[in-house]
Amino acid sequence: VFQHVAKLIRHVATVEGEEEVLVYRFGSVPLKTYLPHGDLDLTAFSADDKWLQLLKTRLEEQVSDCTGP
């Protein structure tokens, strides 16, 4: 799941002209103390944040695709 979300973040940021975005896991996942249905903690760093609204839209579209009408 992390790889998919990180790839989406990097793609959206690149489309919006951001050259470099660093995405990191933190919390229980890298420590391998997570529960099967736990959440995914991640953070993304970049020089600009203009791509965040597009990322929000893309994530909402993917949720809609998974849940249907």
Side-chain angles (χ1 to χ4, degrees), residues 19-69:
E19 292 183 14
E20 183 177 18
V21 177
L22 304 174
V23 183
Y24 296 101
R25 290 178 269 210
F26 66 95
S28 61
V29 172
L31 297 174
K32 300 196 184 320
T33 58
Y34 57 90
L35 298 172
H37 298 291
D39 64 340
L40 175 64
D41 301 311
L42 62 88
T43 188
F45 296 96
S46 71
D48 195 341
D49 65 355
K50 63 185 177 186
W51 53 272
L52 288 174
Q53 186 59 42
L54 180 57
L55 176 64
K56 178 181 177 284
T57 301
R58 293 285 168 86
L59 288 170
E60 289 170 345
E61 288 170 355
Q62 287 199 356
V63 169
S64 294
D65 290 346
C66 290
T67 59

